[in-house]
Amino acid sequence: MNRPHNDTFLRALLRQPTDYTPVWLMRQAGRYLPEYCETRKRAGSFLQLCKSPALACEVTLQPLARYDLDAAILFSDILTVPDAMGLGLYFSEGEGPRFERPLREEWAIRDLAVPDPYDHLRYVMDAVAEIRRALGNSVPLIGFAGSPFTLACYMVEGGSSSEFRQVKTMIYDRPDLMHRILSVTAEAVTKYLNAQIESGAQAVMLFDSWGGCLSAAAYQEFSLSYMRRILAGLVRERDGQRVPSIVFTKGGGLWLESIAESGCDAVGIDWTVDIGEARQRVGQHVALQGNLDPNVLFASPEAIVRESKAILDAFGPNDTGHVFNLGHGISQFTPPEHVAVLVDAVHEYSRCQRQKNSACQLLA
Ligand code: CP3
């Protein structure tokens, strides 16, 4: 297989030695980039952008043209899966994602079926293949999906929510229905991620954006157990290369030990945990990805450099198994030039850490 020329990201996920700490940013292709807004306008809407492989490829590459990033992430959305399950996804201006047919009735939940990723989600597989061709041997491509619980939040609430009233009512009153939604969705996500791997994705990530809203017991039963099921069903190797997996539960800091034992290769952490302590807690099992507060990117270049060095120092110098990232997606209001400051600071400082070069001014 044609290995990526820069495979630092894959090596760090597998806890192999690297010359520096690799970095990419959640939502790195997005509205903070004027060229993204221009392409989205050309597409007509966000959803049409996702559904056009050529344009999805174009926006995936935009942040890589500007910054020295160590990975590309497929441009798509976690909600393509429930859309393919027939819920009717649409985005209304200022309101975020919505479903025409949220899951409220027992019959609709009983009728849920697993979509064929090569049929209903063909446009995603086409985008993955096209992006891989365009990337050539430069950097690895990350595929992704939402966790079953996070997808269920949108499917049951019908859109974004702050309290998750309907989802939690279902968890406590009708756990059988919630388990039905989660098991069909887990199977859909497993097939979807395996199809992305088959189409060329070289690592995969599960976004569990809302698992952190659950009680400790409910997190295990309704979120982590289904992610574990997906991880157990993933294709682990393609063309002789391991395909690493990353699990990111936002707000999951209290449960890092059990997330680390879910069968993933790396755990994503938000900014509420100290990455050095997280590393102690997960031991040698997994790599860590994170964890700069995305709001640091609003501050001065000096603050950005200081805060990113603090994370690299906390993880520990001269060590592997860290992929630098934000603790959540980049804000649309981020000044694009601040992203360059971050990426370059991570690269330069982590190289210095490895070399223990006393002449390196950055270490001072
Ligand atoms: O990281 C990347 O660059 C890849 C692309 C990506 C998007 N969404 C593009 C997107 C990824 C990985 C996602 C995942 C996603 N989508 C999550 C999990 C990560 C997280 O943020 O917690 C969630 C919860 C969604 C659902 C979703 N999609 C929401 C809530 C929204 C509205 C957000 C907002 O700020 O308005 C979206 C839309 C969306 N997905 C945008 C992008 C670039 C903005 C759409 C636009 O151009 O208007």
Side-chain angles (χ1 to χ4, degrees):
M1 109 167 231
N2 46 355
R3 282 164 155 247
H5 171 65
N6 173 1
D7 66 351
T8 313
F9 165 72
L10 295 174
R11 295 180 60 82
L13 288 178
L14 298 173
R15 309 190 73 259
Q16 295 165 358
T18 57
D19 295 338
Y20 60 88
T21 303
V23 53
W24 71 279
L25 307 178
M26 290 190 263
R27 296 269 181 100
Q28 62 190 23
R31 285 169 294 185
Y32 73 104
L33 291 176
E35 58 270 34
Y36 167 85
C37 296
E38 196 275 317
T39 312
R40 189 181 69 159
K41 207 191 283 169
R42 211 157 14 100
S45 70
F46 168 70
L47 217 49
Q48 281 171 282
L49 182 52
C50 290
K51 292 187 176 181
S52 156
L55 296 180
C57 176
E58 184 178 310
V59 294
T60 299
L61 301 179
Q62 285 170 349
L64 292 130
R66 274 193 188 241
Y67 315 113
D68 192 12
L69 295 159
D70 295 288
I73 179 162
L74 161 70
F75 187 84
S76 189
D77 199 83
I78 61 167
L79 301 177
T80 54
V81 169
D83 184 49
M85 290 163 108
L87 274 67
L89 175 64
Y90 66 99
F91 283 80
S92 57
E93 205 52 48
E95 258 193 282
R98 316 261 331 145
F99 284 114
E100 282 164 27
R101 294 171 289 282
L103 290 180
R104 298 279 162 74
E105 312 291 338
E106 188 158 346
W107 64 263
I109 295 170
R110 300 262 170 247
D111 279 358
L112 267 188
V114 175
D116 176 353
Y118 292 104
D119 181 2
H120 305 94
L121 292 156
R122 175 95 239 164
Y123 63 93
V124 178
M125 305 314 143
D126 290 344
V128 170
E130 187 156 342
I131 297 163
R132 265 307 292 283
R133 274 196 299 277
L135 284 171
N137 276 347
S138 52
V139 292
L141 174 62
I142 307 166
F144 71 89
S147 75
F149 177 70
T150 292
L151 293 178
C153 286
Y154 289 96
M155 292 159 85
V156 172
E157 299 289 338
S160 299
S161 167
S162 52
E163 290 167 17
F164 306 101
R165 199 179 305 138
Q166 323 243 23
V167 175
K168 292 201 171 185
T169 304
M170 193 184 284
I171 279 181
Y172 295 113
D173 268 346
R174 292 299 306 271
D176 59 317
L177 292 183
M178 183 52 76
H179 280 301
R180 161 85 190 149
I181 298 172
L182 294 170
S183 46
V184 177
T185 308
E187 194 183 334
V189 167
T190 308
K191 287 195 166 154
Y192 181 58
L193 287 178
N194 281 337
Q196 289 184 32
I197 293 167
E198 193 57 42
S199 304
Q202 291 149 296
V204 290
M205 175 156 166
L206 277 174
F207 285 90
D208 185 27
S209 307
W210 303 122
C213 81
L214 291 168
S215 70
Y219 176 71
Q220 295 288 333
E221 179 178 348
F222 295 95
S223 185
L224 191 59
S225 63
Y226 289 93
M227 293 199 281
R228 212 181 258 132
R229 204 187 275 188
I230 293 166
L231 293 161
L234 286 184
V235 170
R236 287 313 182 125
E237 218 183 81
R238 184 154 190 278
D239 296 335
Q241 284 263 93
R242 181 157 174 98
V243 181
S245 56
I246 309 162
V247 167
F248 171 57
T249 292
K250 182 162 178 289
L254 291 169
W255 311 312
L256 292 182
E257 291 85 350
S258 54
I259 300 172
E261 283 167 4
S262 64
C264 61
D265 295 286
V267 176
I269 53 176
D270 66 25
W271 61 88
T272 61
V273 277
D274 177 278
I275 197 167
E277 285 171 21
R279 193 167 162 267
Q280 295 296 321
R281 286 171 54 200
V282 301
Q284 305 299 308
H285 293 312
V286 288
L288 290 174
Q289 176 173 279
N291 70 335
L292 186 74
D293 181 349
N295 292 292
V296 169
L297 289 171
F298 294 124
S300 62
E302 294 71 30
I304 295 168
V305 172
R306 182 187 70 229
E307 295 300 316
S308 41
K309 279 183 182 178
I311 288 175
L312 292 165
D313 282 334
F315 184 83
N318 221 6
D319 209 344
T320 186
H322 180 204
V323 172
F324 200 101
N325 205 315
L326 304 177
H328 199 200
I330 190 168
S331 156
Q332 62 173 307
F333 304 111
T334 304
E337 61 281 9
H338 284 190
V339 175
V341 172
L342 170 66
V343 171
D344 294 342
V346 170
H347 283 162
E348 285 171 33
Y349 188 65
S350 62
R351 264 187 207 283
C352 283
Q353 281 182 312
R354 303 277 197 291
Q355 290 164 357
K356 292 202 186 99
N357 181 349
S358 54
C360 180
Q361 293 187 343
L362 274 162
L363 280 175

